[in-house]
Amino acid sequence: MTEVQSGLPLVSVLISSYNHANFIEASIRSVYAQDYPCIELLVVDDGSRDDSVAVIQRLQEELGFNFLVQENKGLCTTLNEMIARSSGRYIAPLGSDDVMLPERLSLQVAFMEQHPETGICAGGILLIDGEGQPLSDRKQRHRPARRLDFDDLFMDRQPGPPAPTLLFRRSALEEVGGFDPSIRIEDYYVELRIAHAGYFIDILEQPLALYRVHGNNTYKNRRLMIDTELAIYKRFEDHPGYEATRLRYLNAMFAKVASEDKALAGELLAQIPWRSRNLKTLKGLWRYCFKRIA
């Protein structure tokens, strides 16, 4: 249904697919299961080497969405090109291994329409495994609704928005120039830039998506994540909280990797001055010295 027919703003859902043949059908079908009627879906296969293209072509024949196949360009470049081809007032990137819950877009659009100061609306997530089964309750994260400004996000004063639930106001995304292809982990940096431009990030309490935890999640590449996060902080080094934010992150990551990657842990520890070490550093030192890598 179009925006003119429904009287509702159009949402462009963008799926950049890469080697998720086992998961992509659930992602695509979750878009069509939305109770919000005004959606366009664009799917690009970004150079998958598995059976993703065949799966998506079969679904395209059934459902009729916009689909392109290309050589690998990377997520940020692909998303920017999809945004340029899309028409929605709101933009919803969706990982090709994640799943939207049915009320997601109706809740987010209603909120965004009432809050023009909001550049990004997100929500809660439920964790599932590679087979689509819920993880145990103790691994789930239930957090209250919250509003974040730039300092909240940059200085980690409140938990940030879960990536599988991001809904962008197109005008805010275009104001900051879209996604930056030089940053490998795209979501955090664009969130900071939109907040830095003066918009709020609002996170609803309701779970809006299923986040799939499996062996190829990007966050499991510790060195990539850490190097990228530090590079993002560096982009805002004129902020008065820059050094405190950088050192807080180094301490936290040292404690996290101390028993799983001794070489990386040693590099992180060398960047933390003695005066800036804290309880997390001590915990990390114990793991670094006495806990063996599994």
Side-chain angles (χ1 to χ4, degrees):
M1 187 180 297
T2 67
E3 187 164 334
V4 172
Q5 291 171 323
S6 67
L8 297 169
L10 180 66
V11 177
S12 298
V13 179
L14 313 180
I15 301 179
S16 176
S17 171
Y18 183 68
N19 289 342
H20 282 157
N22 293 333
F23 309 138
I24 183 65
E25 180 166 359
S27 294
I28 289 173
R29 290 199 182 278
S30 76
V31 178
Y32 283 89
Q34 292 296 295
D35 62 9
Y36 187 78
C38 195
I39 300 171
E40 66 170 359
L41 173 62
L42 285 72
V43 181
V44 170
D45 186 85
D46 190 33
S48 292
R49 297 184 299 274
D50 62 6
D51 295 330
S52 294
V53 171
V55 173
I56 299 168
Q57 285 175 334
R58 172 174 56 80
L59 291 167
Q60 184 199 28
E61 291 175 5
E62 175 190 345
L63 300 169
F65 51 84
N66 185 298
F67 178 45
L68 293 177
V69 179
Q70 66 185 28
E71 295 295 319
N72 185 265
K73 295 183 179 181
L75 181 56
C76 290
T77 297
T78 300
L79 285 176
N80 286 337
E81 292 177 353
M82 296 173 84
I83 291 165
R85 292 193 293 111
S86 70
S87 304
R89 188 185 311 178
Y90 298 108
I91 305 293
L94 179 65
S96 53
D97 52 350
D98 296 325
V99 175
M100 290 183 171
L101 292 175
E103 295 182 346
R104 175 190 161 173
L105 293 179
S106 59
L107 290 170
Q108 288 180 296
V109 171
F111 185 92
M112 295 279 271
E113 287 290 283
Q114 295 171 9
H115 297 87
E117 72 280 10
T118 301
I120 302 172
C121 180
I125 55 173
L126 298 174
L127 304 180
I128 58 175
D129 63 20
E131 304 302 317
Q133 298 303 308
L135 297 190
S136 63
D137 285 345
R138 65 183 182 82
K139 292 186 177 180
Q140 303 291 346
R141 306 168 192 165
H142 303 288
R143 290 171 173 155
R146 55 204 182 275
R147 165 166 282 195
L148 280 60
D149 61 17
F150 178 82
D151 285 354
D152 291 327
L153 191 62
F154 185 68
M155 301 180 73
D156 199 29
R157 291 175 175 170
Q158 299 189 71
T165 68
L166 297 176
L167 182 69
F168 293 90
R169 190 178 300 278
R170 174 186 285 273
S171 56
L173 196 53
E174 291 178 342
E175 184 176 333
V176 301
F179 295 92
D180 187 338
S182 69
I183 297 292
R184 293 282 301 277
I185 311 298
E186 80 291 342
D187 47 355
Y188 181 50
Y189 186 45
V190 78
E191 291 160 16
L192 283 169
R193 289 161 64 214
I194 287 174
H196 195 260
Y199 293 94
F200 290 106
I201 299 173
D202 282 293
I203 306 167
L204 308 180
E205 184 174 6
Q206 297 96 321
L208 300 181
L210 306 179
Y211 177 69
R212 195 182 299 272
V213 178
H214 57 87
N216 294 322
N217 292 122
T218 304
Y219 77 88
K220 294 187 178 181
N221 186 335
R222 294 288 193 200
R223 185 176 292 275
L224 171 63
M225 291 291 294
I226 291 168
D227 288 348
T228 301
E229 193 103 352
L230 292 173
I232 290 171
Y233 293 150
K234 185 74 172 173
R235 302 281 181 103
F236 300 97
E237 63 180 327
D238 58 343
H239 187 277
Y242 165 70
E243 191 63 14
T245 295
R246 186 181 72 88
L247 290 169
R248 172 198 52 77
Y249 183 74
L250 285 171
N251 274 296
M253 288 300 103
F254 169 69
K256 188 162 285 191
V257 306
S259 61
E260 63 184 51
D261 188 333
K262 302 289 187 183
L264 178 57
E267 293 173 26
L268 297 176
L269 183 62
Q271 299 179 60
I272 306 171
W274 279 99
R275 67 181 181 279
S276 300
R277 297 179 182 185
N278 57 27
L279 210 57
K280 285 189 176 179
T281 326
L282 292 175
K283 290 179 181 178
L285 281 168
W286 185 90
R287 295 171 185 162
Y288 184 72
C289 295
F290 301 111
K291 197 169 181 181
R292 294 182 179 179
I293 297 177

